[in-house]
Amino acid sequence: MSKKLFYLIISLLMAGSLVLGACAPKPTPVEEAAPAEEAAPAEEAAPAEEAQAEEVAAEKIPLTLYYMPVTRFYYPSPKEIGEAMAADLANAGFDVQLELAGDWPTYLGLRREGNLDGLYMLGWGGDNGDPDNFLNYFFGFSSADKVGDDPAAWVKSPEKREGWYANTDVAYLLYQASINPDQSAREEMYKQVENMLHDDVARLWVAHNNTPLVFSSAVSGYVPQPVGADYFEGVKVEGSDTFVFGRGGDSVQLDPAVVTDGESFRVTGQVLEPLYQYEPGSTKPIPALAESCTPNENSTEWTCTLRQGVKFHDGTDFNADAVIFNFDRWRFTDNPYHYDSQVFEYYEYMWGGFDDASVITAVEKVDDYTVKFVLSQPLAPFLANLAMDMFAISSPAAIEAAGEDYGLPSNGCVGTGPFKFVEWVEGDHITITPNEDYWGGAPTVDVVFRVIADDSARFLALKAGDIQGLEQAVVEDLAAAEADDALYVLTRPALNTGYLAFSYKIVEFQDVRVREAIAHAINRQGLIDNFYGAYGEVAKTFLPPLIWGYDDTIEDWEYNPELSRQLLAEAGFPDGLSEVTIDPTFVTE
Amino acid sequence: MTRYIIRRIISVIPTLIGVTFVIFMFQRLIPGDPAIAMLGEHATEDSINRIREQFGLNRPLFLDREALATGDLSGFFDSQYVNYMERLSHLDLGESIHRRIPVLETLKLRFPATVELSLLSMIIAILIGIPVGIISASRRNSLIDSVSMVGSLIGVSMPIFWLGLMEIMLLAVILKWLPAGGRLSTGFEINGITHLYLVDSLLNGDLAGFKDALSHIIMPAVALATIPMGIIARMTRSSMLDVLQEDYIRTARAKGLGGRLVLFRHALKNAALPVVTIIGLQAGTLLAGAVLTETIFSWPGIGRWVYDAILGRDYPIVQGGTLLIALIFVAVNLIVDILYALLDPRIRYK
Amino acid sequence: MTQINPEEFIVTDFAVREHRSLWGDAWRRLISSNTARLGMFVVILFISSATLSHFFWEYEPKKDLDYSLKLKAPNLTVTEEIPSIHPFGTDKLGRDIFRRVVHGGWNSLRVGIVAVGISLIFGGVIGLLTGFYETITMTTVERITLFGISGFLLGSLSAWIANQPLQLVGFTLLGLVAGYFEGFWAGQLKRVVFFSVLGILISAVPALFAGSSVALVCGVLGLLTGIFLALALDGRFFSNVMMRIMDMILSFPGYLLAIAIVAFLGPGLGKGMIAIGVVGIPVYARLTRSAVLSVVNKEYILAAQSVGESHGRIIFRHITPNILSPIIVQTTMGLANAILSAAALGFLGLGAIPPEPEWGAMLGDSYRYLTSGAWWAVLFPGLAIMLSVLGFNLLGDGLRDALDPKLRT
């Protein structure tokens, strides 16, 4: 390179960039968007400063959309989905600032304190297929609201966790539905609730995602379950006696009563069984370890006849004592096997609490193969709850032997299910083998659950034949799998809903027209096509179509930026919305 | 000499105490707690509070001012920091909050994976870096020299996560020669004393296992090796050049000794010290770089594990993992310093 | 090759020639090296393209969304299907990657520059002070300042526990006194006893108002503070403490520390800058310190001291200019490192807030589409990172050769 030419280039570039950069008008839109200066809202959300903010009457903050820091089945690519929603909103006049509030625990913590001040992405996956499990957690009365004996006089207070949303009518209806044993009456009530929420634009429901599972064509007989663990017992693999299933994360522990994650239930669901289980491919509870459960006339007592001749994998008998042992262990905090280090999360959550707070006030032994559940109040979703994976029966002998270490990799779990636990190499794989004495007929293959965290790597492993089945893949890979003769795709029916929540702490969002404008601004079908592929569907209500109580007659908000602008103008923002006001009446301590 | 070593070892102690303190403070200061991380979307107010109670997360970090004012001094002895230090003092790293598995047990399982990866990367870096450096130095200002120095600079400038992705795309997706991630294929099992699969499989005479382990480790190891390789090559070259200008080399040359003999017998030996130092210091860098490499290649090591634990607020794992990495780093520094003192007497009298 | 041969250099040195400044010489050496010129070219190319595009090539990432163009391979001609030219292809949201790579430079390079600025300022000051006072005795004023600050810090701790601001004032005063009467009361034991008693009194008496147990705790703290202040603090001690702190930061794995800092501060480009900057402080502190130590015993420093120049003047007039060259080299190389670290944070989703383009984040978003063949979405942002880092490294290398011919590699 000649020196002169080099000097020339350098001086030109330098002079050009410096001079032009210096003369340029500073406040360009791009610079305004520079996030370095925008980080303030997250700090303001801290409770301490929040308290100070209350003293100032009305505080203006940028309109913010918080996107989730992690991938969940209802939002397969949250950052990009957030970007797309923000772009849609921008085209309808909402100047939205995207914001990452922090990692997942931080995000959930801020949401819990009601400090995600703006729009935020979140979702819900159903536990037991009952509409109550969807709606009541979000919109029902909290225990603090239940003042006095007359439910009709209860007032729903703004729930921090739900973006300060409160709707007493909805909460009252949900309470009514939760104690009504008549299913068709409940169905009507839930439909009514859905319509009320829709009219109020309480949330913008975005998508239900049918989770895709990809298999090698040598595999047959896998049954994906909308609720509960998938059925592995019918799986056959051509030319092999082992089925290797690839998944994104390891199990947390193999004692279903003390965990909350799907990867644990996926394994315990094969080894342990509850009294009831869900019908393959549906959400309907059918008998499993119980042959039947029948309620008394006001549904406060349920008598269950147990299956006879069933043995745990350790050879001990399954009987009424075993059922009572398990329920007592879960319920009583002073039970010797209810350890302080263990969190019996789901028992508290589904049955109202421990000890005296429990809805189940007694589990009585009628005879060796009959138990009676006594409830403190009618509980409509009793059988659906009973069938959940968390309430699967473990061998009392195994719990007594392992003590606090039951469910850890060294011990695994011991139940009555179609598979027996073999080994668990933490972070790598779990192996289970057929239970030859299974009452429902023994399975034929060993199953290995392998952890491959990355979606793409997992798909490559399937293509290479290293695994024979997997859950969750990138949309583009799924399209390739559909086209590939050696692979096929199954879907787990959606029992989840991704939504965009409004913080009602924002004065502007308290106007239903603004919320509706946002609903019309976002091209949800576009999101589905681009990020969910053929597996997602637009959500028009909170309940997925699979759940009874789903109201198909609800008319969804159409994608219409023009209408959105018009609504926004009617609400008093003809020039669009870029700054919002925090309502000082919502106080966080 | 012994006095120098003892003094140097003692000087490490405050650093280590500081490290444990910083680790403790950092994780407690990060917003969001394990209870929320555990329960996810389903968290209810009651259960969060109960879990906090169970794991002692609602206890004061050091001192509770209100408790002190009421004359409750015992609060200090039950504070989170005292508990943490007490457990640490008898080498108890605690149990994972989420899984209740002792941290030490998981460390035993995962640490060898990281060590194996780092060691192999180091070996690759040394085997390529040193010869390249020597050749460059001996053919100074030739085309080979320029090419290899620009090449090593590219190595130093490499975003290893990007290189890893490119490797996966080329070797796993397009050519399908190597698996994209993991440490072993399903069905392979390698047991042994070292827990380094490459070594164990050879000791067991398990060639198929060795081949499988090698095919998994080669891509991450090469990705991880690029930066140290560049650094080692450059260091070797410059320290060789320094030595080659010394009088005794000229004397040797003048005596008529062959170029190769001078290079290897006289120059290399004396140029080795700075190179050894740099190699030692790279150990820490390798462990740090493992976070990204392990993420991309689904490698079951400690880098990724600690990263996940930070995200899940699993304090004992963050403590145990970070402490181990910090310990190794401090130890390597110590060894390098002592080696230096052994080899260069000027230092220890300073 | 136009590299200068050392022998030749010495010979010309003896020749009578016009006066040349050190920097002029260095510049000439720099310009004469091919690799340094290449590095300079790359660096200037990246910086000017980022700056120019930021100010003159309008881009609104917020509105950039076109599903019909998603994940299109690079094209250089307009077709029926793709009505626009995308030399680097498009990403999942149908955004032009070329545009985002060019605009991303603004964010990615800024992180590097600010982060290195943070490391350099803090590290440099720490290194200067520790290096200087390790060998040169502090003046009374400096001792008073050091003791005062120590007293203030220790005082604020016990003041916080007892909820009494009185202690803050008390301990600060105690520190000042301890600094002033350095030779007070010959015999260290007496001095220690005196200050300990004072410390207990200052701390425990006001704390009595809060409660007896508080007073006890504060009393112990006061005792320790007193002893601490009574034992003569000097530059060596100060230097030792600072260096141990630097060792501590250095013994954490860099990325993990940066991730932890970002988790603590919250994500965002600004926080990322701070995190990377903090992680880099010890490197600069150590480098500056050792450079200072190597010049501080030189004759000209001694001369300046004997003439009675103030310490501040010695540091700024005599030391700083003489240690500049290793620091300049390290800064250039450090920029390269900081850009790499920023990209790594972005890759892990802790960098710029979307939809702002940033190279690491672009990689992190798009690598999931690699298996389905979208190589362009990963290749180009990665190349941008690598080339810019390479540019800074080449330049740093050239600077090293130019500023210090002895260190030539």
Side-chain angles (χ1 to χ4, degrees):
Chain A
M1 192 187 322
S2 107
K3 263 186 201 173
K4 275 183 187 161
L5 182 68
F6 178 69
Y7 278 123
L8 195 70
I9 293 175
I10 284 189
S11 41
L12 271 182
L13 281 175
M14 254 192 159
S17 63
L18 288 179
V19 172
L20 292 180
C23 318
K26 282 272 139 57
T28 62
V30 184
E31 192 174 56
E32 270 173 27
E37 292 100 289
E38 308 303 331
E43 276 170 19
E44 278 163 19
E49 279 165 57
E50 190 64 37
Q52 288 170 2
E54 303 309 334
E55 287 161 22
V56 192
E59 190 194 350
K60 284 276 186 190
I61 57 166
L63 175 60
T64 310
L65 193 163
Y66 294 90
Y67 66 93
M68 300 197 314
V70 293
T71 298
R72 309 289 285 168
F73 33 88
Y74 45 77
Y75 276 131
S77 177
K79 185 175 168 191
E80 287 168 313
I81 293 176
E83 284 178 274
M85 290 207 263
D88 279 340
L89 286 168
N91 286 324
F94 293 90
D95 185 14
V96 182
Q97 232 27 273
L98 277 178
E99 180 81 50
L100 177 62
D103 56 12
W104 192 224
T106 313
Y107 189 85
L108 291 172
L110 286 172
R111 174 241 183 180
R112 176 170 159 266
E113 297 294 336
N115 281 331
L116 293 173
D117 299 331
L119 297 157
Y120 60 89
M121 291 162 69
L122 207 63
W124 181 257
D127 295 308
N128 62 3
D130 195 280
D132 182 77
N133 173 252
F134 266 77
L135 293 162
N136 213 354
Y137 173 83
F138 286 82
F139 303 110
F141 288 116
S142 69
S143 49
D145 298 330
K146 298 178 178 171
V147 181
D149 292 334
D150 179 16
W154 291 346
V155 177
K156 171 90 183 147
S157 55
E159 188 95 60
K160 284 189 284 185
R161 190 182 70 195
E162 304 309 331
W164 306 88
Y165 183 73
N167 188 328
T168 303
D169 297 339
V170 165
Y172 181 64
L173 209 55
L174 285 172
Y175 171 75
Q176 291 293 320
S178 74
I179 55 168
N180 195 328
D182 176 12
Q183 177 147 342
S184 58
R186 287 181 71 201
E187 195 166 341
E188 281 315 306
M189 291 186 204
Y190 289 126
K191 284 186 176 171
Q192 208 181 328
V193 166
E194 283 169 81
N195 277 293
M196 287 160 78
L197 291 173
H198 183 269
D199 294 343
D200 203 19
V201 204
R203 293 264 197 292
L204 174 61
W205 314 114
V206 177
H208 310 295
N209 193 11
N210 298 289
T211 315
L213 298 116
V214 190
F215 296 93
S216 140
S217 48
V219 177
S220 61
Y222 188 97
V223 185
Q225 276 293 95
V227 276
D230 292 350
Y231 284 91
F232 280 72
E233 55 202 80
V235 170
K236 290 189 172 59
V237 184
E238 236 175 75
S240 169
D241 53 2
T242 310
F243 173 54
V244 188
F245 185 82
R247 54 187 188 153
D250 201 3
S251 300
V252 172
Q253 288 174 39
L254 290 187
D255 179 357
V258 302
V259 293
T260 56
D261 69 306
E263 291 305 343
S264 297
F265 299 135
R266 194 197 297 281
V267 180
T268 61
Q270 315 310 322
V271 181
L272 312 177
E273 290 174 298
L275 295 183
Y276 263 59
Q277 65 190 13
Y278 301 101
E279 194 174 60
S282 97
T283 61
K284 188 181 161 214
I286 57 166
L289 278 180
E291 277 173 332
S292 69
C293 282
T294 46
N296 64 355
E297 60 271 29
N298 64 355
S299 302
T300 52
E301 282 182 23
W302 291 76
T303 309
C304 297
T305 320
L306 306 180
R307 200 173 288 278
Q308 300 196 14
V310 177
K311 280 191 187 306
F312 288 108
H313 300 152
D314 58 7
T316 53
D317 284 327
F318 165 76
N319 52 30
D321 291 325
V323 174
I324 292 167
F325 178 93
N326 275 280
F327 272 88
D328 283 354
R329 168 175 177 244
W330 301 330
R331 179 182 157 201
F332 292 109
T333 47
D334 57 356
N335 186 286
Y337 302 105
H338 186 113
Y339 294 97
D340 269 353
S341 61
Q342 296 174 330
V343 178
F344 292 83
E345 177 56 27
Y346 264 104
Y347 188 88
E348 184 183 33
Y349 167 54
M350 300 312 299
W351 303 110
F354 297 118
D355 300 318
D356 293 340
S358 169
V359 174
I360 301 177
T361 51
V363 186
E364 291 162 9
K365 177 178 176 179
V366 178
D367 60 48
D368 267 357
Y369 290 97
T370 313
V371 286
K372 190 166 82 181
F373 292 89
V374 184
L375 309 185
S376 62
Q377 64 180 62
L379 189 67
F382 178 79
L383 286 181
N385 285 3
L386 205 60
M388 291 167 71
D389 288 317
M390 312 81 205
F391 307 120
I393 306 296
S394 291
S395 158
I399 291 177
E400 280 163 7
E404 204 166 352
D405 292 343
Y406 182 72
L408 295 193
S410 46
N411 289 287
C413 53
V414 181
T416 58
F419 290 92
K420 292 193 274 198
F421 172 81
V422 179
E423 67 158 354
W424 179 4
V425 177
E426 199 213 335
D428 193 62
H429 71 270
I430 294 179
T431 309
I432 55 177
T433 190
N435 169 17
E436 299 302 337
D437 305 324
Y438 183 54
W439 57 267
T444 53
V445 290
D446 284 2
V447 178
V448 178
F449 299 91
R450 260 203 96 178
V451 182
I452 304 176
D454 186 69
D455 284 355
S456 307
R458 200 156 59 240
F459 186 72
L460 285 176
L462 178 70
K463 284 207 339 193
D466 209 17
I467 58 178
Q468 283 91 48
L470 63 80
E471 177 167 325
Q472 201 61 49
V474 184
V475 174
E476 274 71 16
D477 289 339
L478 288 168
E482 299 265 20
D484 193 336
D485 283 343
L487 303 173
Y488 68 97
V489 182
L490 290 182
T491 53
R492 171 174 309 123
L495 204 73
N496 58 67
T497 310
Y499 60 79
L500 191 64
F502 309 99
S503 174
Y504 287 79
K505 203 160 129 191
I506 305 292
V507 176
E508 284 78 359
F509 288 163
Q510 291 167 5
D511 186 334
V512 70
R513 286 169 301 191
V514 174
R515 303 200 295 269
E516 212 175 329
I518 289 174
H520 285 298
I522 294 176
N523 179 3
R524 288 174 292 155
Q525 192 58 51
L527 291 178
I528 300 287
D529 294 342
N530 203 36
F531 299 104
Y532 297 73
Y535 308 95
E537 52 190 307
V538 173
K540 45 184 199 173
T541 165
F542 192 15
L543 294 183
L546 187 76
I547 290 188
W548 56 270
Y550 171 76
D551 190 352
D552 201 27
T553 61
I554 289 178
E555 199 180 323
D556 197 13
W557 304 289
E558 59 166 336
Y559 168 55
N560 188 342
E562 273 318 302
L563 181 57
S564 172
R565 280 176 189 279
Q566 200 182 321
L567 281 163
L568 198 57
E570 279 173 28
F573 306 100
D575 304 326
L577 194 61
S578 62
E579 277 202 322
V580 290
T581 323
I582 287 190
D583 187 341
T585 52
F586 290 105
V587 184
T588 28
E589 74 268 7
Chain B
M1 188 63 220
T2 334
R3 268 193 62 192
Y4 172 80
I5 293 178
I6 291 173
R7 232 180 38 223
R8 187 64 187 78
I9 289 175
I10 288 174
S11 77
V12 160
I13 293 172
T15 311
L16 279 184
I17 293 177
V19 164
T20 58
F21 180 74
V22 171
I23 291 174
F24 173 80
M25 279 317 282
F26 243 114
Q27 49 183 345
R28 272 15 186 231
L29 288 176
I30 296 174
D33 67 33
I36 295 176
M38 260 168 109
L39 300 175
E41 300 97 312
H42 291 220
T44 59
E45 209 63 19
D46 296 346
S47 49
I48 288 174
N49 290 334
R50 194 164 43 74
I51 292 177
R52 281 197 178 144
E53 179 120 358
Q54 273 181 20
F55 292 106
L57 299 169
N58 52 357
R59 285 203 298 260
L61 292 185
F62 302 100
L63 265 179
D64 193 351
R65 238 161 49 186
E66 278 90 74
L68 258 186
T70 57
D72 182 15
L73 269 182
S74 62
F76 175 68
F77 299 103
D78 200 29
S79 67
Q80 292 190 44
Y81 185 66
V82 172
N83 278 332
Y84 160 72
M85 286 312 283
E86 189 222 326
R87 272 197 288 105
L88 218 53
S89 66
H90 39 92
L91 292 180
D92 175 7
L93 295 178
E95 288 179 348
S96 149
I97 291 182
H98 295 220
R99 292 167 189 268
R100 294 195 294 123
I101 302 169
V103 171
L104 209 58
E105 215 165 273
T106 319
L107 267 184
K108 276 185 208 151
L109 209 70
R110 289 193 162 237
F111 189 52
T114 301
V115 168
E116 185 177 28
L117 183 57
S118 307
L119 273 182
L120 187 66
S121 305
M122 213 38 173
I123 292 171
I124 293 174
I126 292 171
L127 284 185
I128 298 177
I130 290 186
V132 166
I134 294 174
I135 292 169
S136 298
S138 64
R139 310 247 169 98
R140 188 172 178 200
N141 291 349
S142 69
L143 187 66
I144 292 182
D145 182 27
S146 303
V147 168
S148 59
M149 279 309 103
V150 171
S152 65
L153 211 52
I154 291 179
V156 176
S157 314
M158 191 61 78
I160 50 174
F161 49 100
W162 178 68
L163 180 66
L165 291 174
M166 287 291 137
E167 281 181 346
I168 291 181
M169 190 180 78
L170 187 68
L171 299 174
V173 178
I174 296 179
L175 297 173
K176 301 196 171 70
W177 288 351
L178 296 170
R183 205 176 164 200
L184 270 187
S185 300
T186 319
F188 282 97
E189 205 168 310
I190 298 174
N191 295 314
I193 32 165
T194 60
H195 295 290
L196 308 178
Y197 286 171
L198 288 178
V199 179
D200 283 344
S201 58
L202 281 184
L203 288 180
N204 297 349
D206 177 7
L207 271 184
F210 179 76
K211 221 178 121 196
D212 189 68
L214 190 66
S215 72
H216 280 87
I217 201 173
I218 197 76
M219 280 203 294
V222 166
L224 201 51
T226 32
I227 290 183
M229 192 154 71
I231 292 176
I232 291 173
R234 291 160 56 76
M235 199 63 194
T236 312
R237 177 176 181 270
S238 70
S239 98
M240 282 292 279
L241 282 182
D242 278 354
V243 174
L244 285 176
Q245 282 169 11
E246 299 281 343
D247 293 340
Y248 64 89
I249 299 288
R250 294 188 194 182
T251 316
R253 284 237 167 95
K255 268 179 14 191
L257 290 177
R260 197 156 291 180
L261 191 65
V262 173
L263 206 61
F264 290 101
R265 270 286 291 282
H266 300 273
L268 189 56
K269 214 169 84 186
N270 290 295
L273 185 63
V275 177
V276 170
T277 316
I278 271 292
I279 290 174
L281 290 178
Q282 287 306 306
T285 320
L286 276 183
L287 288 173
V291 179
L292 288 167
T293 325
E294 286 175 4
T295 304
I296 290 163
F297 290 99
S298 315
W299 190 258
I302 50 172
R304 173 73 201 190
W305 182 55
V306 172
Y307 175 58
D308 283 342
I310 293 179
L311 297 188
R313 304 289 185 271
D314 204 330
Y315 300 151
I317 293 182
V318 181
Q319 279 159 11
T322 327
L323 203 60
L324 181 72
I325 301 178
L327 263 178
I328 292 172
F329 197 85
V330 170
V332 168
N333 264 331
L334 190 70
I335 293 169
V336 168
D337 272 10
I338 291 175
L339 267 183
Y340 239 106
L342 280 175
L343 295 171
D344 188 347
R346 275 172 304 175
I347 291 169
R348 72 185 100 125
Y349 295 118
K350 252 193 170 172
Chain C
M1 294 297 285
T2 46
Q3 263 179 333
I4 294 175
N5 192 327
E7 277 94 333
E8 198 181 291
F9 193 65
I10 295 163
V11 172
T12 53
D13 227 17
F14 283 116
V16 181
R17 55 182 171 121
E18 60 180 301
H19 175 76
R20 286 202 251 165
S21 75
L22 172 75
W23 300 108
D25 262 356
W27 172 250
R28 246 160 255 138
R29 278 196 292 266
L30 181 68
I31 279 306
S32 65
S33 147
N34 271 338
T35 47
R37 282 210 304 250
L38 181 64
M40 206 188 294
F41 177 72
V42 173
V43 166
I44 291 176
L45 180 73
F46 270 96
I47 291 183
S48 50
S49 72
T51 322
L52 290 176
S53 67
H54 179 69
F55 288 108
F56 298 104
W57 188 14
E58 202 183 319
Y59 174 52
E60 274 194 80
K62 275 187 188 179
K63 291 189 174 170
D64 198 358
L65 171 70
D66 188 349
Y67 291 134
S68 67
L69 286 177
K70 74 168 172 181
L71 292 176
K72 296 287 182 227
N75 66 322
L76 293 170
T77 48
V78 174
T79 60
E80 192 90 333
E81 191 196 2
I82 311 165
S84 43
I85 295 172
H86 303 287
F88 290 180
T90 62
D91 70 3
K92 180 76 174 173
L93 272 71
R95 301 179 290 203
D96 180 30
I97 292 179
F98 177 68
R99 201 178 246 259
R100 286 177 68 80
V101 166
V102 172
H103 278 273
W106 175 253
N107 287 324
S108 298
L109 298 179
R110 221 161 33 127
V111 178
I113 291 167
V114 176
V116 167
I118 293 174
S119 317
L120 181 63
I121 291 170
F122 286 93
V125 168
I126 292 174
L128 267 178
L129 292 180
T130 52
F132 187 72
Y133 288 114
E134 193 160 326
T135 30
I136 288 179
T137 335
M138 288 180 151
T139 61
T140 315
V141 178
E142 286 155 359
R143 286 180 53 84
I144 290 177
T145 320
L146 179 64
F147 274 69
I149 291 174
S150 312
F152 178 82
L153 290 178
L154 290 166
S156 53
L157 182 66
S158 65
W160 175 78
I161 291 174
N163 223 352
Q164 298 278 340
L166 227 60
Q167 278 134 334
L168 196 66
V169 183
F171 276 126
T172 313
L173 282 176
L174 193 65
L176 296 179
V177 170
Y180 189 71
F181 295 106
E182 188 201 343
F184 170 75
W185 214 340
Q188 206 166 37
L189 186 64
K190 284 180 188 165
R191 194 176 139 91
V192 167
V193 171
F194 179 74
F195 275 99
S196 312
V197 171
L198 264 185
I200 293 174
L201 288 179
I202 291 176
S203 202
V205 173
L208 271 174
F209 294 109
S212 57
S213 55
V214 180
L216 184 66
V217 172
C218 286
V220 174
L221 257 172
L223 176 78
L224 295 176
T225 311
I227 295 175
F228 184 75
L229 291 176
L231 293 170
L233 287 180
D234 57 6
R236 194 170 282 263
F237 181 82
F238 168 70
S239 160
N240 235 328
V241 169
M242 290 313 277
M243 280 301 125
R244 286 293 85 76
I245 293 176
M246 295 296 114
D247 279 355
M248 239 166 60
I249 300 183
L250 213 55
S251 58
F252 286 104
Y255 283 130
L256 280 182
L257 184 60
I259 289 166
I261 295 176
V262 170
F264 169 51
L265 295 173
L269 211 56
K271 317 292 175 62
M273 292 174 186
I274 297 176
I276 298 168
V278 169
V279 172
I281 289 177
V283 177
Y284 291 84
R286 284 182 147 198
L287 181 77
T288 319
R289 176 171 167 271
S290 63
V292 172
L293 284 178
S294 71
V295 299
V296 84
N297 283 329
K298 291 264 163 74
E299 287 82 357
Y300 57 89
I301 303 288
L302 293 175
Q305 261 188 302
S306 57
V307 178
E309 282 194 49
S310 75
H311 283 175
R313 206 176 144 76
I314 295 177
I315 290 180
F316 287 108
R317 282 293 297 276
H318 301 295
I319 293 185
T320 316
N322 282 303
I323 59 167
L324 222 48
S325 51
I327 293 177
I328 290 175
V329 173
Q330 172 60 39
T331 306
T332 322
M333 302 272 205
L335 272 171
N337 252 329
I339 293 172
L340 265 187
S341 312
L345 281 187
F347 181 75
L348 293 170
L350 302 170
I353 299 296
E356 277 293 307
E358 195 255 316
W359 295 335
M362 288 172 74
L363 274 183
D365 288 349
S366 299
Y367 87 94
R368 304 186 305 137
Y369 310 118
L370 205 57
T371 39
S372 44
W375 51 269
W376 55 90
V378 177
L379 180 69
F380 294 109
L383 270 182
I385 299 173
M386 201 199 79
L387 286 178
S388 58
V389 172
L390 182 64
F392 278 107
N393 273 332
L394 283 170
L395 183 60
D397 233 27
L399 277 173
R400 186 202 320 250
D401 289 354
L403 289 170
D404 196 349
K406 272 182 303 184
L407 284 177
R408 175 175 303 245
T409 53

